[in-house]
Amino acid sequence: MTGRHTRPRARTGRRILQFVSGLSLTLAILCVFHVGWVWWGDAFDGIHTQQTLAVRHGVKDVDAGDATRIAEPRGGDPPAETEPGHGAVIGWMWIPRFGHDWKRAIQEGTGTDVLANQGIGHYGHTPMPGGKGNSAYAGHRTPGDLGAADTLRPGDPIVIQTARHWYVYKVQSSWMTTPDDVAVVADQPGQGDTRSITLTTCKWSLDEADSLSARLIIRGRLESWSDVGDGIPAELADGTSRPAVRARMAASRVIRRISVRMPVSRVLAAAAGGAWLLLAGLAWLIWHGGRPRREPTWNPLTLAWRLQTGPVPLRIILFILFWTMILFAEWAWLSPWLDATIPLFSTGPSLTGA
């Protein structure tokens, strides 16, 4: 009698262990996917918001990969830019040091409603791009935005494109200061007719209190301006002839074109899911009859593997497509919900404070 009851209990215990271990690994994978969203996915889909806003406000999305027309740099006083309303898109900010395909939409204002769009905010009380005085901007310190601000060096260009003009600033200095040092965004003593730019972002730290304890300041000066219709500034064309750079910029163009209509993560989730369903369906029709019977398992990862049909190489491809679909589906729907709902998964000020 004892032996009869021991075997079912042992089998049940083994299945529970399979389920718990498999579920733990699955949740760990999903957590890694969420970290990927924090570092890349959020900014990835933020392109959709920025593209939509730019189109709505009539700001052209210029392709920096088109180096066939280089705008002649001009000196002197540039035309005055129109003062926008709160939240309006002023233009685009390009920082080649962050990558030739790096650019972020600039909106008027620096409130959370603006910076939540993963772009750059313009301090409303400071001059417009190209104007006399200190034109100041704020941005998150997330990796996709101003996360690499500490890598900027004197002489690095910061390029601003408005609806009609290009403004090329060159970095002069950077330093850390306290959050209450509002003087950094005001006109500087002895500024005169100098046209400068200031970027502000939080200190990089995973600790929220430490992140909010300081601000990184980048200061630059206007070097030249030109008309958008004349081409692109030479600073944006430098280095774009390399094959790797051109390939990356081509991919970026595709992403931006898709992003005009919907977030890219949704497109990629649908594409991976469609490819998986098609291949998995064909594989099942061809090979399902020859599948051996296996002992039932409660391990979610094992179930995901057994869901794939066909020869091992094909099953590996299907398995990769399956998890690619899960990755982008999480980026599209689950991670934003977790970020907004559960504090533990929120990026919070420590990653996004400006």
Side-chain angles (χ1 to χ4, degrees), residues 153-156 170-174 194 196 218-221 223:
R153 298 292 180 263
D156 283 347
K170 293 293 181 69
V171 173
Q172 291 182 307
S173 60
S174 63
T194 302
S196 59
I218 309 294
R219 177 68 48 76
R221 177 177 292 186
E223 290 287 316

Side-chain angles (χ1 to χ4, degrees), residues 78-84 90 128-131 161-167:
E81 295 286 345
T82 304
E83 295 280 347
I90 297 172
M128 291 291 287
Q161 173 217 336
T162 63
R164 296 181 299 159
H165 303 109
W166 293 102
Y167 301 96

Side-chain angles (χ1 to χ4, degrees), residues 40-182:
W40 300 290
D42 193 17
F44 199 50
D45 280 350
I47 296 173
H48 167 69
T49 303
Q50 295 177 48
Q51 292 288 99
T52 303
L53 289 169
V55 169
R56 185 185 305 162
H57 292 278
V59 180
K60 185 180 179 182
D61 187 7
V62 176
D63 180 11
D66 182 11
T68 57
R69 297 175 60 214
I70 302 299
E72 185 70 25
R74 303 185 189 183
D77 294 341
E81 295 286 345
T82 304
E83 295 280 347
H86 179 80
V89 174
I90 297 172
W92 296 95
M93 179 177 290
W94 309 66
I95 303 181
R97 169 69 71 176
F98 299 166
H100 290 284
D101 58 338
W102 189 98
K103 67 176 180 178
R104 292 294 180 268
I106 306 171
Q107 286 183 264
E108 182 69 8
T110 56
T112 55
D113 58 326
V114 169
L115 297 183
N117 294 326
Q118 300 297 321
I120 303 296
H122 173 249
Y123 286 93
H125 60 280
T126 68
M128 291 291 287
K132 293 180 180 179
N134 185 20
S135 186
Y137 305 84
H140 286 326
R141 196 70 193 275
T142 46
D145 297 299
L146 295 180
D150 58 327
T151 66
L152 287 170
R153 298 292 180 263
D156 283 347
I158 299 174
V159 181
I160 292 180
Q161 173 217 336
T162 63
R164 296 181 299 159
H165 303 109
W166 293 102
Y167 301 96
V168 178
Y169 294 86
K170 293 293 181 69
V171 173
Q172 291 182 307
S173 60
S174 63
W175 68 94
M176 300 296 297
T177 188
T178 57
D180 58 355
D181 184 9
V182 296

Side-chain angles (χ1 to χ4, degrees), residues 178-301:
T178 57
D180 58 355
D181 184 9
V182 296
V184 296
V185 298
D187 287 350
Q188 303 305 297
Q191 174 117 24
D193 292 339
T194 302
R195 304 168 193 270
S196 59
I197 188 172
T198 297
L199 304 183
T200 70
T201 188
C202 66
K203 175 184 177 182
W204 170 252
S205 176
L206 293 177
D207 179 75
E208 181 175 336
D210 185 41
S211 175
L212 297 177
S213 68
R215 291 289 184 271
L216 174 62
I217 309 300
I218 309 294
R219 177 68 48 76
R221 177 177 292 186
L222 182 69
E223 290 287 316
S224 64
W225 65 277
S226 56
D227 289 332
V228 169
D230 292 342
I232 66 172
E235 287 78 5
L236 296 184
D238 289 345
T240 57
S241 61
R242 297 196 300 271
V245 174
R246 296 194 68 82
R248 178 174 174 176
M249 295 182 71
S252 179
R253 282 196 295 273
V254 172
I255 290 173
R256 290 187 176 278
R257 287 170 184 168
I258 295 173
S259 295
V260 172
R261 302 189 179 277
M262 69 174 62
V264 177
S265 62
R266 298 185 186 182
V267 176
L268 294 177
W276 176 75
L277 285 172
L278 178 62
L279 286 177
L282 291 174
W284 187 86
L285 289 174
I286 297 171
W287 285 290
H288 80 281
R291 296 183 64 175
R293 294 183 62 85
R294 297 184 178 91
E295 181 182 354
T297 179
W298 289 11
N299 188 321
L301 291 178

